[in-house]
Amino acid sequence: MTRRFIGDILAASLDQPVGSSMARTPAIDSANAQERILEAALDVLAQHGYTGAGVQEIVEVSGTSKGSFYFHFPSKEQMAVALVDRMSQKLIDKTLNGIRHEPTPLHRVAAGIESLLSTFARQRKIAQVLLLNVLGHGKASDKKFLPMRERFSAFIKKELDDAVALGQIAPQDTELIAHIWFGALYEVIIRWLLTGRPTPLTKATPVLRAALLRSIGAEPALTARGEGSRR
């Protein structure tokens, strides 16, 4: 048996209540335990923040064990990194899936802004964990969450690069602009999380979308369906 397989058996047995039989395979039990831990961590982090979230509470909410937790994640920090990575990737995938049929890069990036705000408005818990509760705990810790920010910025940069290539906007520093755009989105969402304004969050979409598009020399009206490239 490989070391991984032995580890799966150990993790599954630690999660198994005394006196019960192991009906599922160890590998399935191990994967299920990891999923339960991450789901519980989302709830605990949303409620208590990163500093206040304890491994013991996550274990109790997930119905697993400390042995299982540390088998899957060497530390609370590594667990948080895994959680942020999974949530941010799902969010990007959902956004890309929702805008793939838009006709031009500017249509896609405009629709992406709307999709992100709409998703966070419906998933306040995820917004709180991704953008508020896991950041601000020191430079070394925050660097581990930088890929999440880079992932969002890369999506924006790609669409702006394509817009330049098609002549929708003039050539410009799309990498810097992408980070500026992410910063604007971040500030709007953080204000909503902390103050509840605007209510609903999507109320900010038209103003934010128009301001960001005008910042690159694009007229917001041109991103309406049926309109093409820059005139």
Side-chain angles (χ1 to χ4, degrees):
M1 292 190 293
T2 65
R3 181 177 180 274
R4 173 72 182 180
F5 186 66
I6 293 172
D8 284 340
I9 293 175
L10 175 61
S13 65
L14 286 169
D15 290 335
Q16 195 71 13
V18 176
S20 64
S21 60
M22 295 178 65
R24 293 174 295 179
T25 65
I28 292 175
D29 280 342
S30 179
N32 180 258
Q34 183 180 41
E35 184 71 17
R36 297 203 319 264
I37 289 168
L38 289 176
E39 289 178 357
L42 177 61
D43 290 334
V44 175
L45 283 166
Q47 184 176 357
H48 300 299
Y50 180 80
T51 301
V55 171
Q56 182 60 43
E57 184 174 2
I58 293 171
V59 165
E60 290 173 358
V61 173
S62 67
T64 58
S65 68
K66 280 192 174 181
S68 182
F69 181 97
Y70 287 114
F71 169 73
H72 292 291
F73 308 106
S75 66
K76 184 177 80 169
E77 183 180 72
Q78 288 300 313
M79 177 278 301
V81 170
L83 179 63
V84 167
D85 185 69
R86 185 178 75 160
M87 288 192 300
S88 60
Q89 188 59 57
K90 283 185 175 182
L91 186 58
I92 285 292
D93 290 344
K94 179 180 177 61
T95 300
L96 293 178
N97 185 60
I99 68 172
R100 69 183 188 279
H101 296 305
E102 294 292 333
T104 73
L106 283 187
H107 284 83
R108 289 193 293 273
V109 78
I113 294 168
E114 182 176 355
S115 176
L116 285 173
L117 290 179
S118 178
T119 298
F120 279 137
R122 294 191 306 270
Q123 302 288 340
R124 186 185 182 97
K125 185 190 302 182
I126 290 176
Q128 187 166 330
V129 172
L130 271 179
L131 302 178
L132 186 62
N133 287 3
V134 297
L135 298 175
H137 299 284
K139 183 177 180 180
S141 177
D142 284 356
K143 274 188 173 182
K144 295 181 182 298
F145 301 104
L146 187 60
M148 183 266 290
R149 295 173 179 244
E150 295 293 334
R151 192 171 288 157
F152 283 103
S153 297
F155 152 68
I156 297 170
K157 181 180 184 302
K158 179 185 181 303
E159 298 301 343
L160 295 182
D161 284 339
D162 289 346
V164 170
L166 286 178
Q168 286 189 291
I169 57 175
Q172 47 201 290
D173 189 341
T174 56
E175 182 175 5
L176 179 58
I177 291 170
H179 289 294
I180 292 171
W181 278 31
F182 178 83
L185 286 162
Y186 176 83
E187 288 300 325
V188 169
I189 297 168
I190 287 295
R191 180 173 180 267
W192 170 69
L193 288 171
L194 294 175
T195 70
R197 298 193 301 272
T199 301
L201 173 61
T202 50
K203 188 176 180 180
T205 301
V207 174
L208 181 61
R209 174 177 167 274
L212 294 179
L213 288 171
R214 288 194 176 106
S215 75
I216 56 172
E219 177 54 47
L222 295 184
T223 60
R225 288 185 181 277
E227 295 291 342
S229 60
R230 187 182 179 218
R231 295 174 184 174

